[in-house]
């Protein structure tokens, strides 16, 4: 299984809603990532989990809250988002440092 | 500072060869990735170069010159499905988790 899965594929939420994005991989990878990507821009790193511990937080606003329940799962909890947070949210995993990252298909998020 | 540059857009003809260049100025440079991204889809890994030289994978090859801070992706026998954005991304010795991304090159293939 060389796949990273993400749910949902699309999400529309209001600024007062609470929602969660989910990501799963069964490749035994030890690092998992959340990225945000705007149209015609490269992915922008948000968080990195290494061995289920938060390794990197790129000064992301607290309305985004990551969670790594186990080595295969990664969640991103969303609360009180702004319209400018609308973007493609990508999850990725890698065996460890200095390895290629495998990306999931992404969640297209629209905040109204 | 950390900076990676690549052309914004390129056009090529089906069946031809195209070279997409990427230059970098990154302190503590370690290696360079190439990813392909079709519109609305996730990036997919193409290659990773750490050592100088050319690495070939089927129709795609990637080259790195550490002394010149330069890499390229070579696509041969272009097919219409190769129309996509191609992103180069560098890693540094400080953190191999954090990729320094170029803005991406949109490649348009014409019949």
């Amino acid at each position: 299984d060389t796949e990273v899965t993400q749910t949902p594929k699309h999400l529309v939420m209001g600024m007062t809603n609470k929602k969660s994005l989910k990501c799963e991989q069964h490749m035994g990878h030890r690092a998992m990532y959340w990225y945000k990507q705007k149209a015609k821009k490269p992915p922008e790193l948000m968080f990195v989990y290494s061995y289920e511990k938060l390794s990197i937080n790129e000064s992301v606003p607290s309305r985004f809250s990551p969670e790594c329940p186990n080595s295969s799962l990664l969640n991103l909890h969303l609360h009180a988002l702004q319209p400018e947070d609308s973007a493609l949210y990508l999850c990725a995993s890698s065996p460890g440092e200095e390895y290629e990252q495998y990306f999931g298909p992404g969640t297209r998020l629209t905040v109204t | 500072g950390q900076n990676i540059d690549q052309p914004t857009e390129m056009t090529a003809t089906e069946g031809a060869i195209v070279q997409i260049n990427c230059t970098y100025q990154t302190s503590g440079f370690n290696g360079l990735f190439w990813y392909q991204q079709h519109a609305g889809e996730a990036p997919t890994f193409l290659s990773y170069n750490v050592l100088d030289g050319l690495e070939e994978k089927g129709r795609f090859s990637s080259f790195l010159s550490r002394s010149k801070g330069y890499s390229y992706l070579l696509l041969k026998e272009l097919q219409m499905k190769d129309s996509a954005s191609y992103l180069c991304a560098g890693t540094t010795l400080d953190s191999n988790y954090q990729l320094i991304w170029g803005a991406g090159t949109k490649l348009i293939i014409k019949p």
Side-chain angles (χ1 to χ4, degrees), chain B residues 36-111:
Chain B
Q36 179 192 60
Q37 187 173 26
H38 286 97
E41 298 182 10
T44 55
F45 167 75
L46 293 177
S47 66
Y48 182 46
N49 293 69
V50 177
L51 302 177
D52 284 356
L54 185 69
E55 292 203 7
E56 298 185 68
K57 283 186 182 180
R59 294 190 298 114
F60 292 9
S61 303
S62 58
F63 172 84
L64 179 67
S65 169
R66 300 179 69 94
S67 61
K68 295 181 179 178
Y70 166 68
S71 173
Y72 67 72
L73 181 70
L74 191 71
L75 293 77
K76 301 177 185 176
E77 302 169 17
L78 287 170
Q79 302 175 8
M80 298 302 292
K81 67 178 182 179
D82 297 329
S83 292
S85 285
Y86 292 85
L87 299 112
C88 59
T91 62
T92 69
L93 296 170
D94 287 340
S95 173
N96 287 306
Y97 291 122
Q98 291 173 287
L99 301 180
I100 303 162
W101 294 86
T105 298
K106 182 179 180 181
L107 177 63
I108 300 168
I109 310 297
K110 296 187 174 180

Side-chain angles (χ1 to χ4, degrees), chain A residues 31 33 35 37 42-43 45 48 50 56 58 90 96-101 103-105 108, chain B residues 30 33 35 37 40-43 45 48 50 87 91 94-99 101-103:
Chain A
Y33 311 74
Y35 285 91
Q37 188 176 27
L45 184 65
V48 180
S50 175
I56 294 172
E58 289 286 17
L90 294 162
E97 285 190 276
E98 205 182 342
Y99 287 92
E100 64 270 22
Q101 295 178 21
F103 286 82
R108 176 72 60 186
Chain B
N30 189 37
F33 286 96
Y35 283 86
Q37 187 173 26
E41 298 182 10
F45 167 75
Y48 182 46
V50 177
L87 299 112
T91 62
D94 287 340
S95 173
N96 287 306
Y97 291 122
Q98 291 173 287
L99 301 180
W101 294 86

Side-chain angles (χ1 to χ4, degrees), chain A residues 15-76:
Chain A
M15 290 189 283
T16 58
N17 292 158
K18 285 186 180 181
K19 296 286 184 183
S20 296
L21 309 185
K22 298 186 182 301
C23 174
E24 191 167 2
Q25 58 89 12
H26 294 288
M27 295 178 278
H29 288 176
R30 309 313 299 184
M32 295 187 76
Y33 311 74
W34 279 116
Y35 285 91
K36 173 183 177 181
Q37 188 176 27
K38 292 277 203 179
K40 300 182 181 180
K41 298 285 187 183
E44 182 182 334
L45 184 65
M46 300 174 72
F47 304 103
V48 180
Y49 274 82
S50 175
Y51 291 87
E52 302 168 46
K53 294 193 187 311
L54 184 62
S55 173
I56 294 172
N57 176 343
E58 289 286 17
S59 303
V60 179
S62 59
R63 57 186 185 268
F64 295 92
S65 175
E67 178 195 18
C68 189
N70 61 53
S71 59
S72 300
L73 293 173
L74 187 66
N75 298 322
L76 185 64

